[in-house]
Amino acid sequence: MSLEAKFAALKIDDVDSVVEAVKKDGVEKSGLAANISVLSARCESKDDSETIAACKTVSALCKECPEAQAFTKECLTAALRGALSKNADVKKESGNAAKAIVENMNPFGVKSLLPQIFPNLQVEIKWQIRARTLKLLAMFGKLAPKQLGDALPEVVPEVTACMWDTKKQVKEAANDAMKAALDVVGNRDIEHMTEKILVAITDPKEVPEIMHKMAGVTFVQTVESPALAMVVPLLLRGLREKQIATKRQSAVIINNMSKLVDNPLDAAPFLPLLLPALEQNAASISDPEAREVTERAVAQLNRLKGLADKQMSVRGDISKVESTFKQEFGDEGGIAMVVAYASTIATAMMDLHFMEDLQWAKNVASQFVPAYADKAKAEENTEKVRVEAEKMLVIPEEEDEDDDAEELCNCTFTLAYGTKILLHNTKMKLKRGKRYGLLGPNDCGKTTLMRAIANNQVEGFPDVDQVRTVFVEADIQGEQSHLSCVEYVCADPKIQAYGIPKEEVRKVLASVGFTEDGKAKPDHAVSTLSGGWRMKLALARAMLQQADILLLDEPTNHLDVINVAWVKKYLNSLTNVTSIIVSHDSGLLNDCCTHILSFDNLKLLTYKGNLDEYVKVNPAARSFFSLTASKMKFKFPQPGPIEGVKSKGKALMKMANCTFTYPGNTKPTLFDISVQVSLSSRTACIGENGAGKSTMIKLLVGEIVPQEGDVWKHPNARIAYVAQHAFHHIEAHLDKTPNEYIRWRFSNGGEDKESLVKVSLQYTEEELALQKKPFEITVVDEASGKISKVKKVVGELMGGRKQNKSKEYEYEVRYAGSTVEHGEFLPAKTLKKMGWDKAMKGVDLKLAQTAGMMVKPLSTKNVEEHLEGCGLAREFGTHYRMSALSGGQKVKVVLAAAMWMQPHIVILDEPTNYLDRESLGALAGAIEEFEGGVIIISHNNEFVGKLCPETWVMDAGHLETKGDADWMLKQDTKIEDQQQITDMTDAAGNKIEIKQEKKKLSKKEEKALVKKIKAKIKAGEELDSDEEELAFEKDLL
């Protein structure tokens, strides 16, 4: 009997014979292909026994005839509807049939069932059918996890709607299905949040909380459509929340996740949902900062949209694949259903990158055997389809340059620093003998990339043993600073590993200038080297290692013009060595680079040509190298008035006839130096490496003390000094955020904790001995007026200071053994004789610093704004620890800390070393607007030329002044009358009245006031506070 006849009146006894017939004759010859619609109809027959027989037949075919799955799947809808039957056996067998279809299906065929599943989830369908359908859907999580993940963009919206159902059974089944879906997302960054996402879908009140948690997630893994399918509904809800904070967090998550979307087509289905909601928020949010964050997210999604619109679709296209199958197998009779099913399997494999021939033979070719082709023919035809499918997936790449140079590296990798993703799934190709300039703004990760390459941490980069890679940086560690230059190089583990003898080390050091009669001697300690010579030492060490790849981080930092020319010549001579160069020196990148590697949206892009060629293609990059093109703005706090200084030309710092010799040296580093600095100073200090520029500045600020000559600073002047090796202040505080560091540094009543470590404020043994020696002091008894002389020892200075009638300062003291805590003052001249000169400077410093505190309290918000004024965004200033910051960001922290006290003089030693051109342009703008004095040590002519009319030229320890040396005298203008502050608000919000500085009276005004006071006293009238003070002073009372 044929299957057609059996299906016409199906009985349970026919099940085995139907299966045997299909096994023996195949799906086409047995008649199953032609009669599958009849079998499907019998699965929901009015005759319960017929329905049970049909369902049992479907179950048996699924389990025993895998080649029949293209046909048996057509019975799924009927099996789902069996959930409505009142007959328990029908309900059971129909459920078994539905389960058998799902369990025995090829995992890649999951999508072929969705057209039957989704219609049975609609709200108008009976709840029993919907619950059964959802349970089946949940099964895919274990049976076909990857394939379910690929289908999530379609599945999630359907299941989400069911999670709101009023029927408990549907709701529970939907929750289970969604949980199964969440488990296959395959994104490790959000997998720990699946429970919270599940709760937030059903409970809108939880959305703000989940948004807050997700905003704190560091997204590292590539974001693909399954993860987006799961998160986008939540993000949409977050964007529509009333709270601005939730809207902002949603925008932050969108921005972060979208940067990690490698394939724009993954995001394409979600862009029409997210973009309108984001754009609406960008136009309507009142908070400017939240609006700015939202605008960034809009820009990021528009970038993705542009890429998605341009990109030819490389997703598995069923229509294209199906037409290829038809060409190979035909489409007549039952084979049309197999072709459609095989096309669904093939496209799922394309989406999931299962493109091996063996994989296609197993999953695709097997669908045609034995009914429509023998195994060999099916595999041959399937292979032809697979080859065409591979062509569909190829994204055309730009033609590589015509170059026969050896390829040293061709890798794809991801790079992170702490919690920040710097590069994601990006390609890098390097060829021998080429010189690559590595470009990008500050904080993008240039140094981190080079360090990762040197440490063998870049995935796919050749091992350092195969391709010898050397990282050049002036990185002298504290524990090595006592070593001589030769010993320092020999102590390097790589130099030791290569077995390079000491004689070879001396020879190479001599070739770069380390000679016995030179400025830098090979046997002198590395601690005596200036910044420029440290860099030359690092280059010499690299030369010894005979590298295949040289990684140079700012090789011209600290170098004068002569040495920069030497570096250029050396790099260009390395025809067989590849160089990667990070530099802010546009001349170096133009004269040396054959290619440019540019950081762009977490990718590393390669351009042929030098910097000028790159800027032609990317005009925006000009801001990296041009001070005037900088869009960034820094804003420094203005210094404010100084008591007793009415002219901008009056000296605030002086050095007179100073000579200095470093311990251990016989020849002085500085000879007979005399300079002065005022509020109007704009001075560039230039000279060769090792000429003594930084040493002179250290003398001026009091970090070291001269053996001959005097150094003076106005007691009320505040000085900011950003040293050449700028990070030493913050190295002990890397576990703090920049905001926390500044608040710690100035928490002691405004006193700068870092300023107390200066050598000039530390007592010598002679001074300590003087302080313990009794000194004769003249004491006046206030009651009797009797004058007596007493020998006393000063125990400590209490921090108070006042001016006497002679306009000289007196300092508050506590005598040794005295119980009087305050109110006793001694003149500065007396205290100096007693060994307390440095303590008086400390009091002056503290009072000068605390005067700066009167303008703004030390609150988190104020420090945040101050850091932004120095170029450090609040994201890094308040939320990132300093250990996670780049070199450029750390310099901004040091600069901000130095500027917090509103200094009158700013001294910058090599500020161009770690700042990119955009930051440098912003710094130049801030200096131009700054009303205090500025001294800059720099080899960057463009920078100092723009700012400084006066130049100090240091040559082998001798100073010559050039340019308009009288410029500061011409600026001898009166300091503008500044509106005095009448009150200030402290960090707790309390208003404190500030005592106003009294206007000094002329003799005529004073005489008139005395006359008025006398008349008031005579008339018995009350005096105001100023009158009373003058009356006491003139002894009228």
Side-chain angles (χ1 to χ4, degrees):
M1 190 188 292
S2 68
L3 288 189
E4 184 180 3
K6 284 184 178 179
F7 287 168
L10 198 60
K11 297 183 181 65
I12 290 176
D13 295 342
D14 296 330
V15 172
D16 292 340
S17 58
V18 169
V19 172
E20 285 305 314
V22 173
K23 276 185 179 178
K24 182 185 172 189
D25 299 327
V27 290
E28 184 69 30
K29 193 175 176 184
S30 67
L32 179 66
N35 293 286
I36 192 64
S37 57
V38 180
L39 179 59
S40 177
R42 293 294 172 266
C43 286
E44 46 184 340
S45 168
K46 289 180 181 177
D47 183 337
D48 287 350
S49 61
E50 196 171 49
T51 302
I52 291 168
C55 288
K56 278 183 174 288
T57 303
V58 169
S59 296
L61 286 169
C62 288
K63 289 170 185 173
E64 297 181 48
C65 304
E67 68 273 19
Q69 57 187 277
F71 304 96
T72 51
K73 71 181 180 65
E74 297 300 314
C75 301
L76 181 62
T77 298
L80 292 172
R81 288 176 185 164
L84 289 175
S85 176
K86 291 174 181 174
N87 185 313
D89 290 333
V90 169
K91 197 178 283 188
K92 178 186 170 186
E93 292 305 332
S94 62
N96 288 342
K99 203 173 174 185
I101 292 169
V102 170
E103 284 180 337
N104 295 284
M105 169 164 273
N106 185 299
F108 292 100
V110 162
K111 279 191 178 179
S112 68
L113 295 180
L114 298 183
Q116 294 183 72
I117 286 175
F118 291 160
N120 284 303
L121 292 177
Q122 302 310 306
V123 71
E124 62 272 14
I125 302 296
K126 298 285 186 183
W127 70 262
Q128 293 91 336
I129 298 175
R130 297 172 75 204
R132 176 175 284 186
T133 307
L134 287 162
K135 283 175 184 173
L136 276 190
L137 203 50
M139 288 169 63
F140 288 141
K142 286 184 179 171
L143 300 171
K146 287 181 180 172
Q147 294 79 1
L148 176 60
D150 184 43
L152 280 187
E154 300 151 68
V155 170
V156 168
E158 300 289 342
V159 178
T160 303
C162 296
M163 291 175 76
W164 291 76
D165 203 86
T166 52
K167 207 72 182 171
K168 182 185 172 185
Q169 292 90 333
V170 174
K171 202 171 185 178
E172 285 177 357
N175 264 302
D176 291 341
M178 186 61 85
K179 194 176 274 186
L182 281 165
D183 288 342
V184 302
V185 164
N187 190 296
R188 291 187 299 277
D189 300 329
I190 58 172
E191 64 184 8
H192 66 286
M193 301 188 72
T194 51
E195 287 294 330
K196 294 184 178 71
I197 292 173
L198 204 59
V199 171
I201 291 171
T202 53
D203 186 357
K205 289 177 185 174
E206 292 295 319
V207 170
E209 181 61 24
I210 189 80
M211 287 296 111
H212 184 73
K213 285 196 166 61
M214 284 193 72
V217 171
T218 302
F219 290 97
V220 177
Q221 197 178 336
T222 299
V223 174
E224 295 172 331
S225 57
L228 289 170
M230 197 53 65
V231 174
V232 164
L234 273 181
L235 292 174
L236 276 171
R237 201 168 283 174
L239 291 172
R240 290 166 185 156
E241 280 283 316
K242 287 182 181 178
Q243 296 174 20
I244 289 177
T246 308
K247 290 182 178 184
R248 181 191 180 281
Q249 283 163 340
S250 301
V252 167
I253 298 163
I254 291 167
N255 192 30
N256 291 344
M257 288 188 78
S258 59
K259 285 178 183 174
L260 298 181
V261 174
D262 272 355
N263 184 354
L265 294 172
D266 276 330
F270 308 104
L271 295 176
L273 299 170
L274 291 174
L275 257 174
L278 269 175
E279 284 168 343
Q280 186 180 344
N281 282 1
S284 62
I285 289 176
S286 56
D287 179 0
E289 195 270 340
R291 194 165 61 243
E292 187 185 329
V293 168
T294 307
E295 284 165 357
R296 282 204 297 269
V298 169
Q300 185 64 24
L301 288 196
N302 277 324
R303 182 187 73 83
L304 268 181
K305 186 175 183 294
L307 292 170
D309 290 346
K310 284 181 195 171
Q311 194 168 321
M312 180 182 70
S313 176
V314 291
R315 287 203 167 281
D317 185 330
I318 286 188
S319 59
K320 285 184 185 176
V321 175
E322 194 167 351
S323 65
T324 315
F325 271 117
K326 285 176 182 177
Q327 286 173 18
E328 300 301 330
F329 288 99
D331 62 343
E332 292 179 8
I335 200 170
M337 290 178 77
V338 180
V339 164
Y341 182 53
S343 301
T344 304
I345 293 174
T347 50
M349 293 181 78
M350 290 166 73
D351 287 349
L352 295 165
H353 307 291
F354 282 79
M355 295 303 296
E356 296 296 326
D357 51 359
L358 291 175
Q359 293 168 337
W360 280 56
K362 178 185 172 185
N363 292 289
V364 182
S366 59
Q367 304 301 324
F368 296 93
V369 179
Y372 301 102
D374 60 33
K375 188 179 179 192
K377 185 65 178 171
E379 287 183 0
E380 182 188 334
N381 289 356
T382 300
E383 179 59 15
K384 290 177 185 175
V385 177
R386 189 192 68 80
V387 170
E388 289 303 311
E390 275 195 324
K391 291 176 186 174
M392 295 176 199
L393 291 177
V394 172
I395 302 172
E397 282 190 15
E398 290 180 22
E399 284 186 24
D400 199 3
E401 60 194 65
D402 183 22
D403 196 339
D404 58 357
E406 179 193 349
E407 194 176 86
L408 290 180
C409 160
N410 189 354
C411 59
T412 302
F413 64 96
T414 292
L415 179 72
Y417 184 80
T419 58
K420 185 182 180 187
I421 299 299
L422 304 171
L423 291 168
H424 185 262
N425 223 21
T426 192
K427 289 183 179 178
M428 180 167 65
K429 189 185 288 186
L430 302 176
K431 296 202 169 183
R432 187 176 288 281
K434 304 300 177 190
R435 294 175 293 281
Y436 298 85
L438 189 58
L439 283 196
N442 262 10
D443 325 325
C444 69
K446 302 183 290 292
T447 304
T448 305
L449 172 60
M450 301 228 288
R451 206 180 293 281
I453 292 171
N455 293 340
N456 235 10
Q457 292 168 335
V458 170
E459 188 181 345
F461 198 91
D463 193 276
V464 286
D465 297 329
Q466 299 169 351
V467 176
R468 202 176 276 194
T469 307
V470 179
F471 187 25
V472 182
E473 58 173 346
D475 57 344
I476 295 167
Q477 304 296 324
E479 62 269 18
Q480 295 179 316
S481 59
H482 66 285
L483 298 175
S484 72
C485 298
V486 173
E487 289 168 344
Y488 171 73
V489 174
C490 291
D492 185 276
K494 287 185 179 176
I495 298 290
Q496 291 177 353
Y498 298 142
I500 298 168
K502 195 174 271 191
E503 294 71 32
E504 181 68 17
V505 171
R506 282 187 180 278
K507 186 179 170 185
V508 172
L509 283 176
S511 72
V512 300
F514 286 85
T515 56
E516 289 300 333
D517 56 350
K519 286 181 180 172
K521 297 175 175 54
D523 293 311
H524 276 200
V526 290
S527 58
T528 64
L529 297 178
S530 68
W533 283 102
R534 288 183 184 204
M535 184 54 77
K536 290 190 83 173
L537 184 65
L539 280 165
R541 184 177 57 183
M543 289 163 69
L544 282 159
Q545 294 176 48
Q546 298 176 338
D548 294 305
I549 298 176
L550 267 182
L551 308 168
L552 300 123
D553 190 8
E554 301 287 0
T556 58
N557 263 11
H558 311 289
L559 295 183
D560 54 34
V561 180
I562 300 161
N563 283 316
V564 168
W566 176 85
V567 170
K568 289 179 185 176
K569 189 177 178 184
Y570 172 67
L571 288 176
N572 288 332
S573 71
L574 300 173
T575 53
N576 210 33
V577 177
T578 300
S579 308
I580 302 179
I581 307 161
V582 171
S583 180
H584 294 126
D585 183 341
S586 50
L588 178 76
L589 296 176
N590 265 329
D591 295 344
C592 293
C593 290
T594 59
H595 295 73
I596 297 294
L597 294 172
S598 172
F599 278 72
D600 184 21
N601 273 309
L602 305 186
K603 300 293 178 191
L604 201 59
L605 307 180
T606 307
Y607 297 84
K608 194 173 182 182
N610 64 3
L611 178 65
D612 284 346
E613 294 300 313
Y614 172 71
V615 170
K616 285 177 190 173
V617 189
N618 298 274
R622 195 178 300 280
S623 68
F624 298 162
F625 303 94
S626 166
L627 299 182
T628 52
S630 175
K631 294 176 187 173
M632 191 184 285
K633 292 280 179 275
F634 285 9
K635 187 180 180 184
F636 289 164
Q638 296 303 345
I642 308 179
E643 186 185 340
V645 177
K646 301 297 179 193
S647 158
K648 289 188 87 169
K650 184 172 180 179
L652 298 182
M653 302 177 83
K654 285 182 187 176
M655 280 172 66
N657 312 113
C658 289
T659 298
F660 177 78
T661 309
Y662 275 107
N665 288 4
T666 52
K667 186 181 175 185
T669 303
L670 299 176
F671 299 88
D672 195 30
I673 304 290
S674 296
V675 292
Q676 69 175 38
V677 188
S678 73
L679 282 170
S680 61
S681 292
R682 288 288 187 283
T683 307
C685 184
I686 61 173
E688 285 186 27
N689 293 132
K693 305 182 296 294
S694 297
T695 304
M696 182 183 78
I697 297 301
K698 285 179 182 176
L699 276 179
L700 188 61
V701 299
E703 288 209 352
I704 52 178
V705 181
Q707 284 85 5
E708 295 176 30
D710 296 310
V711 179
W712 173 86
K713 178 181 83 72
H714 191 286
N716 293 327
R718 295 186 292 277
I719 313 299
Y721 173 42
V722 179
Q724 186 180 94
H725 309 293
F727 304 152
H728 72 279
H729 274 324
I730 63 174
E731 289 303 326
H733 305 282
L734 294 178
D735 58 339
K736 294 184 175 79
T737 66
N739 197 310
E740 288 168 347
Y741 167 68
I742 289 179
R743 285 186 286 121
W744 166 84
R745 183 165 162 177
F746 298 100
S747 61
N748 191 10
E751 186 178 353
D752 184 357
K753 291 176 184 174
E754 300 283 17
S755 66
L756 301 177
V757 296
K758 289 182 182 173
V759 173
S760 57
L761 294 182
Q762 292 170 0
Y763 301 124
T764 62
E765 287 184 15
E766 292 82 0
E767 286 168 333
L768 289 169
L770 266 176
Q771 289 171 11
K772 291 171 185 173
K773 186 178 172 184
F775 197 84
E776 193 174 81
I777 295 163
T778 304
V779 179
V780 181
D781 189 301
E782 288 183 11
S784 62
K786 186 181 175 184
I787 298 172
S788 58
K789 292 187 177 181
V790 184
K791 284 195 173 185
K792 288 192 175 187
V793 174
V794 171
E796 61 177 321
L797 267 59
M798 302 299 292
R801 187 185 71 185
K802 68 178 184 179
Q803 273 188 329
N804 59 23
K805 290 179 182 179
S806 308
K807 300 298 179 191
E808 291 175 349
Y809 282 124
E810 292 185 353
Y811 293 83
E812 188 177 8
V813 300
R814 184 181 65 77
Y815 293 115
S818 172
T819 55
V820 180
E821 288 292 328
H822 55 82
E824 300 192 54
F825 285 82
L826 282 179
K829 288 178 183 176
T830 306
L831 284 168
K832 191 172 183 180
K833 291 175 187 174
M834 298 172 76
W836 291 96
D837 187 32
K838 287 175 182 173
M840 289 189 290
K841 285 180 180 173
V843 171
D844 293 340
L845 186 66
K846 184 175 179 180
L847 291 172
Q849 289 168 352
T850 50
M853 283 292 285
M854 288 302 180
V855 175
K856 55 187 175 188
L858 192 65
S859 65
T860 303
K861 187 173 184 294
N862 282 338
V863 174
E864 195 172 76
E865 287 172 1
H866 176 72
L867 284 163
E868 283 188 320
C870 293
L872 193 66
R874 66 181 64 193
E875 188 75 16
F876 298 106
T878 306
H879 303 294
Y880 276 66
R881 288 184 174 180
M882 290 194 288
S883 56
L885 300 185
S886 70
Q889 288 171 322
K890 285 178 181 174
V891 167
K892 290 172 185 174
V893 175
V894 174
L895 190 62
M899 297 303 297
W900 174 256
M901 297 312 302
Q902 299 173 265
H904 299 104
I905 306 290
V906 177
I907 302 171
L908 302 169
D909 194 349
E910 296 282 12
T912 59
N913 279 352
Y914 294 96
L915 296 177
D916 59 23
R917 281 301 175 107
E918 193 166 12
S919 300
L920 216 50
L923 178 62
I927 289 172
E928 282 182 329
E929 293 175 12
F930 181 63
E931 291 180 11
V934 180
I935 301 170
I936 301 167
I937 301 177
S938 182
H939 295 301
N940 187 319
N941 280 337
E942 184 188 1
F943 185 68
V944 296
K946 181 183 179 187
L947 297 168
C948 304
E950 186 191 0
T951 308
W952 295 343
V953 182
M954 184 66 78
D955 183 17
H958 296 275
L959 186 71
E960 184 187 352
T961 326
K962 285 188 176 179
D964 192 356
D966 296 329
W967 180 77
M968 68 172 83
L969 299 176
K970 293 173 188 171
Q971 298 296 310
D972 196 6
T973 54
K974 297 292 176 189
I975 296 174
E976 295 167 38
D977 287 337
Q978 298 189 9
Q979 189 175 352
Q980 289 199 346
I981 300 152
T982 57
D983 58 44
M984 65 168 275
T985 306
D986 66 12
N990 304 311
K991 280 206 169 186
I992 303 165
E993 284 199 11
I994 305 293
K995 190 176 179 184
Q996 300 297 298
E997 191 179 327
K998 283 195 302 178
K999 185 184 172 189
K1000 192 174 178 185
L1001 301 174
S1002 66
K1003 285 188 177 179
K1004 189 176 180 182
E1005 287 171 331
E1006 189 179 287
K1007 193 174 179 182
L1009 187 56
V1010 167
K1011 190 176 179 182
K1012 182 183 172 184
I1013 291 168
K1014 282 180 177 178
K1016 274 190 169 185
I1017 293 169
K1018 192 173 181 181
E1021 294 177 21
E1022 197 173 322
L1023 303 178
D1024 65 29
S1025 57
D1026 286 346
E1027 290 169 340
E1028 193 173 344
E1029 201 173 320
L1030 186 62
F1032 276 114
E1033 195 180 313
K1034 297 294 180 184
D1035 209 12
L1036 300 176
L1037 289 173

